[in-house]
Amino acid sequence: MREQQGIFKNIDWVLVALYLLLVIMGWLNIYASVYNDEHQSVTDFSQKYGKQLVWIVSSIGLAIICLILDGKFYATFSPVIYAISIVSLILVLFLGTEISGSKSWFRIGGFGIQPAEFAKFAANLMLAKYLSNISIKLTDLKTKLMSGIIIGLPILLILVENETGCALVFIAFVFTLYREGLSGNYLWVGFLAILIFILTLIFGKTILFEIIGGVFIFIFFVVKKNKQNVLIIVATTIVSLGGVYSVDYAFDHLESHQKKRINVFLGKEIDVKKAGYNVNQSLIAIGSGGLTGKGYLKGTQTKYDFVPEQSTDFIFCTVGEEWGFVGTSTVLLLLIFLLIRIIFISERQRSTFTRIYGYGVASIIFFHITVNVGMTIGLAPVIGIPLPFFSYGGSSLWSFTVLLFIFIKLDAYRLEILR
Amino acid sequence: MIYSERKYVIIGIFIVVALAFIARLFYVQVINDSYKLSANNNVLRYLIDYPARGLVYDRNGELLIYNEAAYDLMVTPKQVKVIDTNDLCKVLGITIAQFKKKMLAARIYSPYKESIFEKQIQAETYAKLQEKLYKFPGFFVQSRTLRKYPSSLAAHILGYVGEVTEKKTKANPYYKSGDYIGISGLESSYEIELRGKKGLKVMMVDVFNRPKGHFKDGEYDTLAVTGKNLISSISGRLQKYGEALLKNKTGSIVAIDPTTGEILACVTSPTYDPNLLVGRDRSKNYGALASDPGLPLFNRALRAYYPPGSTFKLINGLIGEQEGVTFRDTRYPCRGGYPVMGGKPKCHAHSSPMDLPGAVATSCNSYFCYVFRSIVDNRKKYRNIVSGFSTWREYVLSFGVGKRIYSDLPQELSGNVPTVEHYNKIFGKNGWKSSTIVSLSIGQGELDITPLQMANIMCIIANRGYYYTPHIIKGIYPSKQCRPEYKQKHFCKVASQHFDNIIDGMQGAVDHGTSTTAKMKDYIVCGKTGTAQNPHGKDHSVFVAFAPRNNPKIVVAVLVENGGWGATWAVPIGSLMIEKYLADSIKRIELETRMLEGIVLPPTQSDRIKANKK
């Protein structure tokens, strides 16, 4: 490897290039989504693309700061960063500005900062710090509990702020935990829980009881009947039935608009005017793009505001409408390439801290992509979380930048660890 | 390193999700087309550009129909803010309850798309509204045009315009619901010329329906083409005069220029102001007119059937001549009636026997019964009555009677000339002979003729044997030519040399016969009276004439229902029409006044009018 000097020494230029590419593509699409004939200057700071330019420039500043700081700093100060993050999550409950029902923003002039966004890398650092301790084993109950607390504390506070979408992101850490030795059953249980949740709502209690009963009998006769297997099967069945019952019960006690949202998502109800409006308009915008799109700045659905939140949560629609299938698949492939690159780099680390942190970065970004893109194409419920590096918004861009560049710094630092 | 193989599971999950998304995107973007259609529905608005309807002038260049701007108040419910409803209602002259109802209707139609809130606001209301419109966000005004009839004349000829029916929109895709279309009169028969061509603007709108410019820079836009202007053959002055003469009378006047077939006046009475059937009060006014016992909506000139009475003797005389059974010197006796049938039909007192012109001038019933008999009972030529009668009928039809003549007025009816089958049905085969149907010889019996047909017969006589199809539009812009079919001569089956005997008789009738009131110093007028038998009451007064005798410029047919003798009402009115057209001023003031003020109506109606005058 060519010897590099200063802060750029040993950094992974592939990740940096991917980051810059995604951020620039994001900005181009933000410009397109709010583009109108009256405000064409790219530096018009009354417009979102002008503001985003400020966020991008400041993010690059933040990235450089991340690279300047010493490699040891992050591991050492993880608890402090985590503590600051938790305190700011609490403070915002008292000092924050309320925006559409959620109190999660500090307003400073025309710009807002959302502590919940920064809680992600703080929690990630803390988790990495805790799990990289040599005496820790994830098979221990104590470790599981402790990890649960590190992740659960910010979740709790963010839920209190009424930012459900943002809180859900922390579920992504299950991948990190899995990589570090958490039983694969947790993944299965999580998968099963989601499956049961959805199936119950689609088919109803009675039918699902019968299905589970049938599956139980089938498996019971097929597998070897040693004590452990029987125990697992019986336990899983009882938990599943309980799950079905409680989902059913909970759903019956939901508010009607919440029920409606869920039903629309599940395809049981069609309501293009209200709950399903966003998804329908989003699909129209993406679908009308066709194979190669309508051309840059030629999208009508996003430009004329048919798609709500088209510069933030629904930015993927602008990509879909103006760049077509070619554009959407390119963006998805770039993002997945980024994730795989992060995993690849994580695995080459000698430092456990860096590896765990890297998995956290990949998990968080993956969760965002899945929910955000899935929502725009009707495969996930509408949960307002941004598309990493693409969506308009300072807090999210800053937080993803810091999240990624800490990892780049840690990676660049890897050769010095054992020195 | 333990658990490091788990990276494959995690990378696997990443890839599976990415592939699932890409597959879904491929379906949504490439395979499924419905989203592209929805996108167009979202963003494209097809704005129709309504062209102005063509104007109509009379033959002297005076405007008969023009367009007046009217205004539809439109509303986009989502853009309506809290407003001073009271104020708006006051300007529009509606109640709060009506306001709420209209708003609800608009909201049900679409909260984001505009719809008509109040139709056809008149100019003065619009002026008031315009000042206050800024106070009512969500409301805007769209201009439309309304037809205006400045002279208030010729309602039945001009016709009216109304919203297109659902049936029509299905039959003809040019029309969309809410479009205007000519419903009657020339508005209907010249609809294609008058309407022009609608233009289309394909506009883009945003989610709040705010315009965002032309789609593809106007590539799909088309320009509206203004309707063609028309020149009517009507003389506004003559039409007005005719309408005045028939005031408080029931009947009609048709005046035609025989050299071209151009209709100079087409009066039906009672009539109405065509402006009543325009704008917001149309349905109300229409209802009132439809229930009026005088039937003002009924175009008598084109649709009312009358027996032609003695005017029909002209045709019988001409047929007799053409058949070689009647000559100028042919004389038949008359002893106060038709001697062959014991004095029936009766006749009035005149010298006897007379020659053909004399019989026309005195309108001798007996004479024409002989003529008719000599035609249909001509056993040298025709084996039996059926054959003779059929020949006679063919002659009659060639005079434009008993069939539509296809003028450019849409409501025209065909009239009736009885057929062999008709008589066979009534009297049985071989159960009838010339004497059975002798009333046909004096224009009574089963004959049904419209006033337009009477005038057309007069054109044939004035032209000595042919007519141009009567028409109401003499020029279509830009060429200012009438439709080509109206430039063709239609010949009747009587040769031109036979006409002078009849015309001599008609001149005699005016000079010293039955219609002397029609005599004028400066022009030789040829005319014939008629008294159409009316089984429901007093006979109808009929007069047909043309003038001048040589080089005729005008024919008139006048019918005054319940007017009694032809000479009483129809002759003076017809003669005044001729004088008005040829001389443009009336010298016979006393006669004119008497005609203008006369009332000829069924007793109940005339009593009412007399009472109103007092």
Side-chain angles (χ1 to χ4, degrees):
Chain A
M1 202 184 276
R2 194 162 55 92
E3 192 70 15
Q4 288 166 316
Q5 291 306 312
I7 57 163
F8 297 120
K9 197 175 170 186
N10 294 328
I11 68 169
D12 186 66
W13 285 107
V14 175
L15 281 183
V16 175
L18 277 171
Y19 167 81
L20 288 174
L21 192 60
L22 289 167
V23 166
I24 290 167
M25 284 168 76
W27 183 84
L28 288 174
N29 283 295
I30 290 166
Y31 182 74
S33 71
V34 291
Y35 170 82
N36 60 45
D37 297 333
E38 289 112 57
H39 304 275
Q40 284 177 329
S41 163
V42 295
T43 52
D44 185 340
F45 297 120
S46 70
Q47 296 293 312
K48 282 185 173 170
Y49 47 79
K51 286 184 185 167
Q52 184 74 357
L53 217 51
V54 174
W55 293 123
I56 289 172
V57 169
S58 56
S59 290
I60 291 170
L62 277 176
I64 291 170
I65 292 170
C66 288
L67 295 176
I68 289 173
L69 287 171
D70 191 84
K72 276 179 287 189
F73 170 83
Y74 299 107
T76 316
F77 282 90
S78 288
V80 179
I81 295 171
Y82 184 71
I84 292 171
S85 172
I86 295 297
V87 169
S88 66
L89 281 176
I90 295 167
L91 278 181
V92 80
L93 284 172
F94 300 101
L95 306 174
T97 319
E98 187 162 328
I99 297 170
S100 57
S102 66
K103 209 168 180 186
S104 64
W105 289 84
F106 286 122
R107 280 239 153 257
I108 302 156
F111 299 99
I113 289 177
Q114 200 177 15
E117 288 290 341
F118 300 96
K120 289 172 201 164
F121 77 82
N124 195 19
L125 279 174
M126 189 63 219
L127 192 65
K129 171 83 179 171
Y130 174 67
L131 292 177
S132 61
N133 196 318
I134 295 168
S135 61
I136 290 289
K137 275 204 188 81
L138 259 168
T139 43
D140 294 346
L141 184 64
K142 192 191 150 212
T143 312
K144 287 179 197 166
L145 277 177
M146 204 44 210
S147 306
I149 289 167
I150 292 171
I151 301 164
L153 198 58
I155 291 183
L156 202 68
L157 289 167
I158 294 169
L159 279 176
V160 174
E161 287 169 14
N162 212 358
E163 284 282 356
T164 322
C166 206
L168 286 174
V169 173
F170 290 80
I171 292 173
F173 284 117
V174 78
F175 289 113
T176 311
L177 297 174
Y178 170 70
R179 168 61 185 83
E180 294 308 318
L182 188 70
S183 163
N185 289 341
Y186 286 91
L187 281 186
W188 282 116
V189 167
F191 177 72
L192 203 64
I194 293 170
L195 195 70
I196 285 173
F197 177 77
I198 291 175
L199 289 179
T200 308
L201 295 178
I202 292 177
F203 296 113
K205 189 166 57 177
T206 326
I207 294 176
L208 216 64
F209 275 165
E210 289 164 13
I211 292 174
I212 291 169
V215 171
F216 166 74
I217 292 162
F218 176 75
I219 293 174
F220 194 80
F221 284 105
V222 168
V223 298
K224 245 196 302 178
K225 280 182 229 22
N226 60 34
K227 204 176 167 190
Q228 199 195 345
N229 277 354
V230 171
L231 204 67
I232 289 173
I233 294 166
V234 171
T236 310
T237 308
I238 290 169
V239 170
S240 300
L241 293 177
V244 170
Y245 186 79
S246 50
V247 167
D248 190 65
Y249 179 85
F251 186 72
D252 274 348
H253 289 77
L254 279 177
E255 298 283 328
S256 67
H257 72 272
Q258 289 170 319
K259 274 189 201 172
K260 195 161 200 174
R261 263 199 152 162
I262 290 170
N263 279 338
V264 167
F265 164 60
L266 294 172
K268 281 168 89 179
E269 242 180 82
I270 293 171
D271 180 6
V272 291
K273 280 265 157 82
K274 296 190 184 94
Y277 176 82
N278 295 5
V279 175
N280 189 47
Q281 290 298 338
S282 163
L283 277 169
I284 289 172
I286 293 174
S288 67
L291 183 64
T292 53
K294 295 176 185 170
Y296 187 53
L297 301 182
K298 301 243 171 70
T300 52
Q301 304 304 301
T302 47
K303 193 160 68 174
Y304 297 148
D305 302 336
F306 288 98
V307 181
E309 314 284 341
Q310 75 271 31
S311 60
T312 55
D313 295 345
F314 283 91
I315 189 72
F316 198 66
C317 295
T318 312
V319 180
E321 188 180 12
E322 298 193 344
W323 303 96
F325 176 69
V326 173
T328 51
S329 48
T330 303
V331 168
L332 269 178
L333 288 174
L334 279 176
L335 285 165
I336 293 303
F337 179 53
L338 177 83
L339 293 179
I340 292 172
R341 180 79 192 164
I342 292 170
I343 297 293
F344 171 77
I345 291 173
S346 301
E347 288 293 342
R348 77 182 180 194
Q349 302 301 322
R350 270 171 278 180
S351 153
T352 321
F353 175 78
T354 308
R355 184 183 70 223
I356 297 170
Y357 182 81
Y359 266 90
V361 173
S363 305
I364 289 168
I365 294 176
F366 173 69
F367 189 89
H368 272 268
I369 295 168
T370 308
V371 172
N372 181 282
V373 175
M375 143 185 112
T376 61
I377 57 179
L379 291 181
V382 179
I383 295 168
I385 61 172
L387 185 62
F389 313 115
F390 261 77
S391 290
Y392 167 79
S395 291
S396 94
L397 184 60
W398 276 11
S399 114
F400 282 117
T401 304
V402 171
L403 190 70
L404 183 67
F405 276 83
I406 289 176
F407 178 65
I408 292 174
K409 174 66 190 179
L410 290 172
D411 170 54
Y413 179 66
R414 75 186 186 279
L415 297 171
E416 294 168 40
I417 284 177
L418 293 176
R419 206 184 282 166
Chain B
M1 218 176 264
I2 48 167
Y3 302 128
S4 80
E5 80 288 348
R6 287 192 171 184
K7 70 180 174 199
Y8 297 116
V9 176
I10 291 170
I11 290 174
I13 291 172
F14 290 176
I15 290 174
V16 165
V17 168
L19 289 180
F21 281 8
I22 287 172
R24 168 76 171 165
L25 283 165
F26 189 75
Y27 171 75
V28 167
Q29 298 192 284
V30 182
I31 295 174
N32 191 326
D33 271 338
S34 68
Y35 295 114
K36 291 161 192 75
L37 196 71
S38 306
N40 283 347
N41 287 344
N42 259 349
V43 80
L44 297 185
R45 291 286 175 275
Y46 299 90
L47 297 185
I48 293 168
D49 208 357
Y50 289 98
R53 230 176 139 76
L55 308 179
V56 181
Y57 300 92
D58 86 340
R59 65 187 299 115
N60 306 315
E62 280 171 39
L63 258 183
L64 291 176
I65 313 178
Y66 70 100
N67 299 309
E68 192 185 64
Y71 306 89
D72 287 349
L73 182 62
M74 312 292 289
V75 67
T76 313
K78 268 283 171 187
Q79 293 171 9
V80 175
K81 305 265 159 59
V82 182
I83 55 162
D84 186 352
T85 314
N86 249 328
D87 197 15
L88 185 60
C89 288
K90 225 167 74 188
V91 175
L92 294 175
I94 59 172
T95 65
I96 302 264
Q98 282 171 312
F99 177 89
K100 283 182 181 156
K101 212 171 136 191
K102 282 165 190 281
M103 274 307 283
L104 186 67
R107 209 171 284 127
I108 287 168
Y109 171 71
S110 167
Y112 289 102
K113 292 183 195 169
E114 70 268 18
S115 56
I116 296 178
F117 184 80
E118 184 79 356
K119 265 187 201 177
Q120 299 168 351
I121 296 168
Q122 299 295 328
E124 53 189 283
T125 313
Y126 170 67
K128 272 189 258 170
L129 187 65
Q130 184 75 342
E131 284 174 26
K132 297 188 170 177
L133 211 54
Y134 75 94
K135 287 199 271 183
F136 311 122
F139 288 90
F140 68 99
V141 168
Q142 196 174 60
S143 67
R144 280 196 98 141
T145 56
L146 282 184
R147 291 302 243 181
K148 268 282 170 183
Y149 308 91
S151 55
S152 298
L153 289 172
H156 298 86
I157 297 169
L158 304 181
Y160 61 96
V161 167
E163 257 177 54
V164 69
T165 58
E166 204 186 318
K167 204 172 139 195
K168 184 81 188 170
T169 57
K170 279 183 187 151
N172 186 341
Y174 178 86
Y175 297 101
K176 299 275 174 280
S177 175
D179 282 5
Y180 283 144
I181 186 172
I183 290 181
S184 73
L186 63 86
E187 293 275 25
S188 161
S189 53
Y190 287 87
E191 165 69 13
I192 290 170
E193 287 88 347
L194 287 170
R195 76 182 181 197
K197 199 166 155 265
K198 286 188 280 193
L200 186 67
K201 274 191 260 176
V202 187
M203 303 291 289
M204 295 187 293
V205 295
D206 71 2
V207 69
F208 303 112
N209 210 34
R210 290 178 298 217
K212 290 288 175 183
H214 291 255
F215 180 58
K216 299 223 165 152
D217 293 328
E219 201 181 298
Y220 296 100
D221 295 3
T222 54
L223 280 176
V225 180
T226 312
K228 291 176 182 165
N229 293 347
L230 304 178
I231 305 167
S232 173
S233 58
I234 289 282
S235 160
R237 274 170 274 173
L238 191 65
Q239 178 76 18
K240 190 174 177 184
Y241 191 59
E243 289 185 11
L245 287 172
L246 278 193
K247 194 159 181 248
N248 293 332
K249 300 160 195 77
T250 307
S252 59
I253 304 172
V254 178
I256 302 177
D257 179 348
T259 60
T260 56
E262 291 168 5
I263 297 173
L264 303 170
C266 185
V267 180
T268 176
S269 181
T271 183
Y272 61 94
D273 182 347
N275 294 304
L276 288 177
L277 296 187
V278 171
R280 300 211 287 166
D281 297 330
R282 196 179 81 219
S283 48
K284 194 182 82 191
N285 291 336
Y286 189 91
L289 289 170
S291 59
D292 187 315
L295 306 179
L297 292 173
F298 181 49
N299 189 352
R300 290 175 160 80
L302 270 64
R303 298 177 69 82
Y305 287 166
Y306 304 100
S310 303
T311 60
F312 200 70
K313 291 169 184 166
L314 305 173
I315 289 178
N316 277 330
L318 287 167
I319 298 170
E321 286 189 88
Q322 180 69 29
E323 279 289 285
V325 294
T326 310
F327 303 91
R328 186 181 179 93
D329 287 334
T330 308
R331 287 166 197 271
Y332 291 114
C334 170
R335 301 186 197 100
Y338 180 38
V340 179
M341 292 176 64
K344 277 186 181 167
K346 281 188 190 164
C347 197
H348 51 92
H350 58 79
S351 59
S352 181
M354 304 193 80
D355 63 358
L356 179 56
V360 171
T362 53
S363 197
C364 175
N365 285 344
S366 172
Y367 189 96
F368 288 96
C369 291
Y370 279 112
V371 170
F372 181 70
R373 192 182 70 164
S374 64
I375 299 165
V376 299
D377 285 349
N378 184 0
R379 290 292 167 266
K380 277 180 209 152
K381 272 176 101 171
Y382 309 110
R383 277 187 298 112
N384 52 29
I385 178 75
V386 169
S387 165
F389 176 78
S390 297
T391 307
W392 176 83
R393 188 170 184 277
E394 284 306 308
Y395 277 112
V396 173
L397 292 188
S398 80
F399 281 85
V401 179
K403 61 180 185 188
R404 279 193 64 175
I405 49 179
Y406 293 102
S407 74
D408 52 2
L409 287 169
Q411 294 170 309
E412 177 197 314
L413 289 183
S414 60
N416 182 48
V417 178
T419 58
V420 170
E421 291 74 32
H422 174 78
Y423 289 122
N424 281 345
K425 215 170 125 189
I426 295 177
F427 304 110
K429 253 189 175 174
N430 308 320
W432 52 285
K433 46 192 181 177
S434 60
S435 56
T436 324
I437 56 173
V438 74
S439 55
L440 292 176
S441 54
I442 55 167
Q444 307 292 353
E446 290 92 338
L447 283 168
D448 286 324
I449 293 191
T450 66
L452 177 69
Q453 287 171 329
M454 288 183 199
N456 192 43
I457 294 167
M458 216 25 53
C459 287
I460 295 169
I461 294 171
N463 289 335
R464 279 80 170 165
Y466 65 86
Y467 69 95
Y468 293 98
T469 305
H471 52 277
I472 207 76
I473 292 301
K474 69 189 282 263
I476 300 168
Y477 275 73
S479 68
K480 302 192 184 181
Q481 297 294 309
C482 69
R483 288 182 178 165
E485 62 262 38
Y486 300 138
K487 288 184 170 176
Q488 277 170 6
K489 284 182 185 177
H490 301 274
F491 286 91
C492 75
K493 289 185 154 188
V494 175
S496 63
Q497 69 266 23
H498 299 305
F499 281 82
D500 276 328
N501 293 330
I502 297 295
I503 291 170
D504 282 343
M506 290 174 71
Q507 186 186 340
V510 173
D511 286 348
H512 49 77
T514 51
S515 26
T516 47
T517 328
K519 193 171 179 182
M520 273 181 269
K521 239 189 259 166
D522 303 328
Y523 311 99
I524 303 173
V525 179
C526 303
K528 179 76 196 81
T529 54
T531 306
Q533 281 180 0
N534 175 14
H536 309 292
K538 206 172 167 191
D539 289 345
H540 304 319
S541 175
V542 186
F543 180 58
V544 290
F546 67 91
R549 172 175 170 148
N550 299 311
N551 188 22
K553 288 198 168 62
I554 180 172
V555 310
V556 290
V558 181
L559 193 140
V560 179
E561 286 186 19
N562 312 110
W565 298 110
T568 324
W569 293 102
V571 174
I573 287 173
S575 141
L576 287 168
M577 287 293 282
I578 292 170
E579 188 177 1
K580 180 78 177 176
Y581 183 68
L582 295 178
D584 201 32
S585 61
I586 301 294
K587 287 181 183 151
R588 297 170 291 171
I589 303 296
E590 188 268 335
L591 180 72
E592 183 187 37
T593 314
R594 185 152 56 83
M595 287 302 122
L596 287 172
E597 290 178 354
I599 297 172
V600 190
L601 286 175
T604 49
Q605 289 182 50
S606 38
D607 288 350
R608 202 179 65 214
I609 286 164
K610 278 170 193 160
N612 283 346
K613 275 190 175 174
K614 280 169 197 167

